[in-house]
Amino acid sequence: MAWPGAARIGALVLGLALPGVASAACLELASHPDGAALARVAVAAALPEFAITYTHSVTRTPVEERFAIEGTTLVETQMTFLLHGPGLPTAADAGGSMAIVDGRHVVAMARRFDAFVMRVHADQSPQLHVDGVAQDLTAWGNRALSLRAVAGTCPQS
C-alpha cells in the first residue's frame, strides 16, 4: 500500500548532486555494522529535510518518518501512521504533540541523532525520499543500514 502523496519518481542518482541545485547536506548510507559506505545523497540547501516511508511489519499499514538536517545532526520532526504497532509511539515526547489528523496519528517531536541504524526488508517497501525523489532502501539487499549526515556537500561529477 503506497503512502498517500509519497513521491515515486524513480531511482535517485546516488553520490551526485543534482545539476544547478545547491547542496546543503549530504546523507551517507552505510552497511551496518561494518560501516562500509554504500551511497551518498545530496540534499538541497533550500530545504535540508528528508523522509523515510515503509510498511509496518505487524500492522501492514504505511508509516512516514520526517527528518531535518542540522549540520551533522539528524532531527526526527514527525511520525505519521494509521495504526499503533510495535515500535510506534503511544504518547508524545516531552515538548512534542500527538493528534489524529484525517484518520492518521501524527506525532510531532524533536528527536536528535548523530546517526541511526535501521533494518530494511523488501516486504516493508522502505523508501528514502529526498527532494521529491524516492530511493528503494533495499537496493543493497535485506540488511541493516546506518544513515548519517556528513559535513560538507556531496561530491559532484
Side-chain angles (χ1 to χ4, degrees):
M1 176 174 180
W3 183 257
R8 302 240 183 240
I9 300 175
L12 179 64
V13 177
L14 297 174
L16 302 175
L18 297 173
V21 176
S23 174
C26 188
L27 290 174
E28 182 179 78
L29 287 160
S31 175
H32 184 79
D34 67 346
L38 299 172
R40 285 194 168 189
V41 181
V43 181
L47 194 60
E49 298 178 340
F50 67 95
I52 296 174
T53 59
Y54 55 94
T55 301
H56 191 276
S57 63
V58 175
T59 66
R60 305 304 301 159
T61 58
V63 177
E64 179 182 57
E65 298 188 48
R66 294 185 160 278
F67 297 83
I69 303 168
E70 296 177 1
T72 58
T73 301
L74 304 174
V75 182
E76 186 170 16
T77 59
Q78 183 176 304
M79 183 183 293
T80 305
F81 54 93
L82 291 174
L83 298 173
H84 284 287
L88 298 176
T90 57
D93 294 343
S97 65
M98 186 169 193
I100 297 178
V101 178
D102 296 330
R104 295 180 184 91
H105 299 270
V106 179
V107 184
M109 59 189 71
R111 294 179 179 170
R112 302 177 75 77
F113 303 93
D114 292 329
F116 61 86
V117 175
M118 63 191 134
R119 294 217 42 95
V120 297
H121 194 281
D123 288 350
Q124 293 177 281
S125 303
Q127 301 276 316
L128 173 67
H129 300 267
V130 177
D131 300 327
V133 179
Q135 168 64 44
D136 178 3
L137 289 173
T138 62
W140 303 277
N142 299 331
R143 63 181 312 137
L145 298 174
S146 67
L147 181 67
R148 68 185 183 111
V150 294
T153 58
C154 283
Q156 294 192 30
S157 61

